[in-house]
Amino acid sequence: MEAPPDNDVLWARSLHYTHRDGSPALGGVSLGVREGEILAVSGPRGSGKTTLLRCLSGLVPAQRGEVWFNSVPVHTMGPMARERLRRDRFGWIDPAPVLVPELNVWENAALPLMLRGTARRRAKTAALEWLERLDVGDKARKRPEDLTQAERQRVCITRALAPAPSVLFADEPTAPLHRADRAHVLRTLTTAARSHGITVVLATHDPDTAALADRKVSLLDGRRVHTVHLPPVSGTGEAAAGAGGDGARGTHTPNGRTGANGTTGESEGRAACSLSV
């Protein structure tokens, strides 16, 4: 069993996962996440982003493959050990906000801290500070039922950040927010993560959200997609003659210009995608 690189806080190799109905979710995904890095996992809906985050966090064990956290093999842990790991070292943000209805806002935000054994007063102070940063400090004593959907999601983000986890898994964290609110919340999340040295694995299908990350990996149908940049292609009179049978005839370019003797006068770059095995 090969240990992961020392500079990777998270490392996964050849993860496979199939849903109960038999549909594949992950087909051999491998990746490494460096400490303090914000990594965006992008791809269309159904590409395997959520399943990847769930396997990396130990929420569900991959059916094949390895997951390492700080050189500790998560894939060999039992359910109780994985639960302690998630409670003590990881944070999680779901696309839909889920709060404890019997607790008020600050109590919901402070809950992970108190579960770790932090004193109530200290946990409350930390929760209130983060609620202010997320612009819901004035809702601290309200119940979840009194909040809007967007406000509840801000509280969930606060709850994930307040304990300063080693790794924060964020699955479409701004999905319930209005477009005007997304940029502010994402800036707050990424700035807080960088200032506190929190590693973030962020699943998103939104290119603007992915652009805020330090690095991006793309998934398609449960496998990583690699973009391969091919060398530029220059049209020539001979090539035009070979393709069209008439070297003197002009060749149309994507921008509508035609070069002399059938040449474009410019090189068009090409890119192709390949799926990892």
Side-chain angles (χ1 to χ4, degrees), residues 186-261:
L186 284 169
R187 279 196 303 269
T188 302
L189 192 157
T190 53
T191 300
R194 289 188 173 102
S195 64
H196 288 72
I198 300 172
T199 303
V200 179
V201 183
L202 170 69
T204 181
H205 68 278
D206 179 16
D208 293 336
T209 300
L212 295 174
D214 300 319
R215 186 165 58 95
K216 182 181 78 170
V217 298
S218 300
L219 295 185
L220 182 65
D221 294 335
R223 292 190 289 171
R224 283 191 62 175
V225 179
H226 302 278
T227 301
V228 180
H229 293 282
L230 303 177
V233 176
S234 299
T236 62
E238 291 78 11
D246 185 357
R249 190 162 49 218
T251 304
H252 291 290
T253 66
N255 58 16
R257 292 194 297 269
T258 305
N261 298 324

Side-chain angles (χ1 to χ4, degrees), residues 9 18 28 38 65 74 78 80 100 105 135 150-151 156 165 178 183 210 218 223 233 253 262 265:
V9 66
T18 301
I38 299 177
V74 179
M80 294 300 294
V100 180
V105 163
D135 294 335
E151 289 169 343
C156 289
H178 296 295
S218 300
R223 292 190 289 171
V233 176
T253 66

Side-chain angles (χ1 to χ4, degrees), residues 39 57 84 86 88 104 112 131 153 160 168 183 223 237:
L39 176 70
S57 66
R84 285 194 298 271
R86 294 196 303 273
D88 297 339
N104 65 26
L131 288 170
Q153 185 68 348
L168 174 62
R223 292 190 289 171

Side-chain angles (χ1 to χ4, degrees), residues 23-235:
S23 59
L26 296 177
V29 175
S30 300
L31 58 80
V33 188
R34 294 183 291 272
E35 186 172 3
E37 180 180 33
I38 299 177
L39 176 70
V41 180
S42 67
R45 296 188 189 278
S47 59
K49 302 186 300 295
T50 297
T51 303
L52 177 59
L53 264 63
R54 289 165 67 88
C55 289
L56 291 174
S57 66
L59 194 59
V60 296
Q63 290 153 348
R64 279 193 291 150
E66 301 175 13
V67 177
W68 297 73
F69 168 68
N70 281 341
S71 299
V72 175
V74 179
H75 54 283
T76 64
M77 290 181 176
M80 294 300 294
R82 294 201 310 272
E83 184 177 336
R84 285 194 298 271
L85 178 65
R86 294 196 303 273
R87 181 192 65 200
D88 297 339
R89 307 300 298 275
F90 294 164
W92 183 277
I93 305 172
D94 270 314
V98 179
L99 299 172
V100 180
E102 294 82 9
L103 303 180
N104 65 26
V105 163
W106 80 257
E107 289 170 335
N108 267 283
L111 187 58
L113 284 166
M114 291 190 284
L115 289 175
R116 290 183 183 183
T118 305
R120 182 180 175 88
R121 178 173 295 183
R122 184 178 173 185
K124 180 179 181 179
T125 300
L128 291 175
E129 288 177 357
W130 281 105
L131 288 170
E132 288 292 341
R133 292 190 190 187
L134 273 297
D135 294 335
V136 282
D138 59 332
K139 312 292 183 183
R141 295 192 175 277
K142 290 186 177 295
R143 299 282 182 177
E145 63 186 16
D146 299 322
L147 305 181
T148 66
Q149 180 88 337
E151 289 169 343
R152 286 195 291 271
Q153 185 68 348
R154 288 172 184 264
V155 176
C156 289
I157 295 173
T158 297
R159 182 177 61 191
L161 286 169
S166 298
V167 182
L168 174 62
F169 297 93
D171 185 12
E172 300 281 5
T174 59
L177 302 179
H178 296 295
R179 181 170 294 274
D181 294 337
R182 291 178 187 172
H184 169 68
V185 170
L186 284 169
R187 279 196 303 269
T188 302
L189 192 157
T190 53
T191 300
R194 289 188 173 102
S195 64
H196 288 72
I198 300 172
T199 303
V200 179
V201 183
L202 170 69
T204 181
H205 68 278
D206 179 16
D208 293 336
T209 300
L212 295 174
D214 300 319
R215 186 165 58 95
K216 182 181 78 170
V217 298
S218 300
L219 295 185
L220 182 65
D221 294 335
R223 292 190 289 171
R224 283 191 62 175
V225 179
H226 302 278
T227 301
V228 180
H229 293 282
L230 303 177
V233 176
S234 299

